[in-house]
Amino acid sequence: MAGFCCLSLILALAALTVCRAQRRHFSSALQDKSGDLCLNGGKSVPSLSGLHLFCKCPEGFSGSSCETDESVSCFDRSGWNYRGPVSKSESGRECLQWDLKRVREIEGYPKNLGPSRHKHCRNPDYSRRPWCYVQTPSGIMREDCDIPRCARDHSSDLTTDSPAGAQSGWQCGQREERSMKVVGGALSAVELHPWMAAVFSRRSRGRAFTCGGSLISPCWVLTAAHCFPDGTQTKKLSVVLGKNAINETDIQKEQEFSVSELIIHEHFDNTDGNFNNDIALLKIHSPDGRCAKESSSVKTVCIPGPHQTLSHGTSCEVTGYGKEQEGSWYYSQYLREAKVKVVSPNLCSSKAYYGNMITDNMLCAASPDWSTDTCKGDSGGPLVCRVNDRAFLFGVVSWGEGCSREFRPGVYAKVSNYHHWILEKTGLSSLTAHLRT
């Protein structure tokens, strides 16, 4: 009996030693992961079992993950880095918990939210301001939050320009170099693509988004010819620059224009179903006759020289408001971007790809793993490549078979082939040097 008791005591001591060792292991692991569990310098406090219990937050921060900065009372720019405590929408409704099951099941729920065990206003999808989900009589909806803007951002002040197209002080192909994009999710911000234009057409039930485009001078937008199959009347068209979201309006960033002239390439041809010479120009003006004014969200993109080419594998980016995937019944509400690489003309015109549908007026580009591509609704938008630290418009989104299909890259109108045509139609001959550099 005494031997049995001694054996039990030995086993109990051994188990306690193992438990303590495991606890030390868990505590060590928690220390390594403290930065993931607790933000803003918070420290993870373990339970007796060694598992994470709660975060001990530094002064000025709160929340289950120390994600709330109690000192923040306003937001800058679009508020994408807002970490303040406000939890009410502009209508006065209380925000719902981000990780609430009913909220997470909503179509378009932001995947890059980070720690979501709170209900504070945030801007995870780079919308125009912080927002949250609220419960309304019609169901769960997203609403902007009741947060004031910080002191005015003077970088968005607009400069004057003449409607004749002179670019006094404009520098093409430059933008804010801030990492605001979500690669994979492909959400972006218009400050990273300030030449992006959204073309709308007036319908019986209001206006409808038609195509993308690129601002190449204060008065001119370059887009795709196939966007206007019936030779749409210019009085039905409008163009918005500086737009982050199709169904939202940010008056501090956006500039809206009427279209006074639509020029479709005279040799545009879709007889073979491949949209040859798929390029068009829109002349824009505001109600007072002015053209675009330069700001942080509105800038021109550079045009490459005549017949300038890109080597196979050159990295470029394409932006648009089109569908997020093939078969989707709706367009993306927000501006999105994708990284693609130039595909050699010989490969793109091979039998395994598009064969003889590819002409010398076209450029092909795709991601190496076929994971990203343009899709329906991106037509007319820009394919931009960096040259000497400037953004050049090398392609206009034209066509492709499906979206992100293997051996079916996106096909673009090759802008360098239309250098002289653009100058001739716009009358921008005095800007030849500007367009080439």
Side-chain angles (χ1 to χ4, degrees):
M1 185 72 169
F4 177 76
C5 289
C6 288
L7 179 60
S8 299
L9 181 60
I10 291 171
L11 291 174
L13 288 172
L16 181 60
T17 301
V18 171
C19 182
R20 285 175 174 170
Q22 289 178 331
R23 182 181 175 185
R24 283 196 297 272
H25 171 73
F26 284 133
S27 297
S28 176
L30 281 173
Q31 289 176 0
D32 293 339
K33 295 183 177 181
S34 181
D36 296 331
L37 297 168
C38 307
L39 306 175
N40 300 309
K43 301 296 181 183
S44 174
V45 176
S47 64
L48 291 176
S49 63
L51 298 176
H52 171 71
L53 188 61
F54 63 89
C55 289
K56 183 178 180 181
C57 300
E59 185 177 354
F61 293 91
S62 64
S64 59
S65 300
C66 305
E67 76 282 345
T68 305
D69 186 348
E70 299 290 349
S71 66
V72 175
S73 59
C74 60
F75 72 94
D76 284 312
R77 298 185 183 276
S78 62
W80 65 275
N81 60 349
Y82 174 79
R83 295 296 179 269
V86 175
S87 300
K88 276 191 176 181
S89 72
E90 288 181 327
S91 67
R93 294 186 174 93
E94 194 74 21
C95 295
L96 297 174
Q97 192 97 354
W98 286 99
D99 62 353
L100 189 68
K101 183 180 179 183
R102 290 180 299 144
V103 171
R104 293 179 66 91
E105 291 174 348
I106 292 176
E107 183 101 37
Y109 176 84
K111 306 301 182 185
N112 60 317
L113 190 62
S116 56
R117 297 178 297 277
H118 64 85
K119 57 181 182 179
H120 304 303
C121 301
R122 296 292 182 260
N123 189 7
D125 55 2
Y126 314 113
S127 186
R128 66 190 184 97
R129 59 186 298 136
W131 58 277
C132 68
Y133 290 106
V134 297
Q135 183 67 56
T136 72
S138 302
I140 296 177
M141 309 284 288
R142 58 178 284 170
E143 288 187 358
D144 290 341
C145 287
D146 186 21
I147 309 171
R149 288 186 181 272
C150 299
R152 188 180 177 200
D153 176 14
H154 293 285
S155 67
S156 64
D157 285 352
L158 302 180
T159 60
T160 59
D161 196 12
S162 69
Q167 295 200 77
S168 176
W170 285 62
Q171 293 292 322
C172 72
Q174 297 184 339
R175 62 185 176 186
E176 293 193 12
E177 296 298 335
R178 290 182 290 139
S179 180
M180 296 176 65
K181 56 186 177 295
V182 182
V183 179
L187 285 170
S188 190
V190 73
E191 288 86 353
L192 294 176
H193 313 279
W195 36 83
M196 185 71 203
V199 182
F200 293 86
S201 58
R202 193 166 67 249
R203 307 283 173 83
S204 57
R205 296 184 178 180
R207 72 177 188 178
F209 173 71
T210 299
C211 272
S214 303
L215 186 69
I216 61 171
S217 86
C219 296
W220 291 94
V221 168
L222 192 66
T223 185
H226 80 260
C227 294
F228 316 99
D230 55 356
T232 307
Q233 296 179 1
T234 56
K235 64 181 181 181
K236 293 184 177 181
L237 296 175
S238 61
V239 171
V240 182
L241 304 172
K243 197 165 190 61
N244 261 322
I246 290 297
N247 296 328
E248 297 177 6
T249 300
D250 187 341
I251 59 174
Q252 292 194 349
K253 291 184 179 182
E254 295 179 16
Q255 299 177 37
E256 184 169 351
F257 304 91
S258 299
V259 174
S260 60
E261 195 171 354
L262 166 62
I263 304 175
I264 295 176
H265 197 282
E266 53 273 21
H267 298 305
F268 169 62
D269 180 18
N270 190 32
T271 304
D272 297 324
N274 64 349
F275 301 110
N276 195 25
N277 294 303
D278 191 10
I279 201 161
L281 285 160
L282 297 172
K283 189 171 185 180
I284 60 174
H285 65 87
S286 61
D288 63 359
R290 292 177 176 266
C291 300
K293 302 175 184 180
E294 189 175 25
S295 71
S296 60
S297 55
V298 176
K299 297 181 185 294
T300 54
V301 65
C302 299
I303 299 293
H307 304 290
Q308 184 175 340
T309 59
L310 294 169
S311 58
H312 168 55
T314 299
S315 293
C316 302
E317 57 195 22
V318 62
T319 48
Y321 308 95
K323 295 184 178 182
E324 298 178 29
Q325 59 185 6
E326 185 177 352
S328 177
W329 58 273
Y330 61 90
Y331 291 159
S332 170
Q333 180 180 351
Y334 300 99
L335 181 64
R336 305 177 74 83
E337 75 168 33
K339 301 293 185 182
V340 293
K341 292 189 175 183
V342 175
V343 177
S344 72
N346 289 338
L347 183 60
C348 196
S349 59
S350 66
K351 290 183 179 180
Y353 283 66
Y354 287 121
N356 58 12
M357 293 184 72
I358 302 300
T359 73
D360 291 338
N361 296 318
M362 300 174 190
L363 173 69
C364 299
S367 62
D369 61 358
W370 308 104
S371 62
T372 56
D373 190 14
T374 53
C375 203
K376 188 173 182 180
D378 290 323
S379 292
L383 174 75
V384 168
C385 313
R386 303 287 293 182
V387 179
N388 298 327
D389 295 325
R390 287 202 181 184
F392 280 77
L393 180 67
F394 274 91
V396 172
V397 179
S398 182
W399 64 280
E401 188 176 317
C403 308
S404 298
R405 293 187 188 180
E406 288 188 1
F407 313 120
R408 295 296 182 268
V411 183
Y412 305 81
K414 190 189 299 182
V415 174
S416 60
N417 282 17
Y418 302 97
H419 180 92
H420 294 304
W421 181 83
I422 292 170
L423 296 181
E424 176 191 345
K425 298 301 181 182
T426 59
L428 298 176
S429 56
S430 60
L431 297 178
T432 300
H434 165 79
L435 293 171
R436 285 179 176 172
T437 58

